Amino acid sequence: MFVHRRDVQIQWGDCDPANIVYYPRYFAMFDDSTSIMFEAAGFSKQNIVKRYGLVGIPMVDTRAKFYIPSTHGDWITIESRIESFKRSSFEVTHKVYKAEALAIEAFETRVLVGRDPDDPDKLKSAPVPPEIVEKFMNGRFTSK
């Protein structure tokens, strides 16, 4: 299974007045991590959208479990992987480590979306291309 890791330093703007990361900032980091993971696998989101005639790959469900807070200046490692694929959706898991400790587990469901051929003003789910499934399910580990 293809796994991607990246190190992120917590910035001042990520934190609330208590100097801990404001939780919506983590979701922005997870969105970035998914994009970066796709790029590391050889599929930038822009290329996927263009190549397969998509409008986008929106997140349709997300949640997280927070165990350890992070503050300005801390370094965290975000480990991202796709857990499963369905016809037009996929499940992503992000694990955030602070040093060796698990700080956060986050989960997202994304859907490939294109224009409805019968009504271009509407959106319709699109199947996940087999080469993407193959790469992520049989790909090798990468770092950063």
Side-chain angles (χ1 to χ4, degrees):
M1 176 161 310
F2 189 92
V3 176
H4 187 267
R5 287 189 178 106
R6 72 183 188 111
D7 295 327
V8 175
Q9 186 176 32
I10 303 302
Q11 301 300 310
W12 177 260
D14 295 325
C15 298
D16 64 13
N19 196 34
I20 60 173
V21 176
Y22 182 50
Y23 73 92
R25 291 295 305 136
Y26 281 120
F27 289 97
M29 293 177 205
F30 301 147
D31 186 55
D32 289 344
S33 294
T34 298
S35 293
I36 293 166
M37 176 180 59
F38 266 82
E39 287 178 14
F43 301 103
S44 76
K45 285 172 81 174
Q46 296 84 355
N47 290 342
I48 292 171
V49 167
K50 184 177 179 181
R51 182 174 179 185
Y52 300 106
L54 302 175
V55 173
I57 309 170
M59 199 179 315
V60 295
D61 186 31
T62 187
R63 63 188 171 88
K65 296 177 184 179
F66 299 91
Y67 306 116
I68 301 171
S70 292
T71 61
H72 176 248
D74 287 346
W75 281 93
I76 59 173
T77 299
I78 302 174
E79 179 182 285
S80 304
R81 76 177 75 216
I82 295 182
E83 297 293 335
S84 65
F85 285 96
K86 296 186 177 85
R87 187 191 79 78
S88 61
S89 67
F90 55 95
E91 305 289 327
V92 181
T93 299
H94 304 282
K95 291 185 179 182
V96 176
Y97 295 92
K98 187 174 174 184
E100 301 297 319
L102 180 62
I104 302 168
E105 290 179 288
F107 312 90
E108 61 185 49
T109 303
R110 292 184 175 260
V111 176
L112 277 69
V113 177
R115 297 269 175 219
D116 185 333
D118 298 327
D119 185 352
D121 290 333
K122 292 184 179 179
L123 300 177
K124 183 176 181 177
S125 65
V128 178
E131 58 268 24
I132 292 176
V133 174
E134 175 67 24
K135 178 67 174 190
F136 279 100
M137 300 317 287
N138 297 316
R140 61 176 196 256
F141 171 82
T142 64
S143 181
K144 293 192 180 186

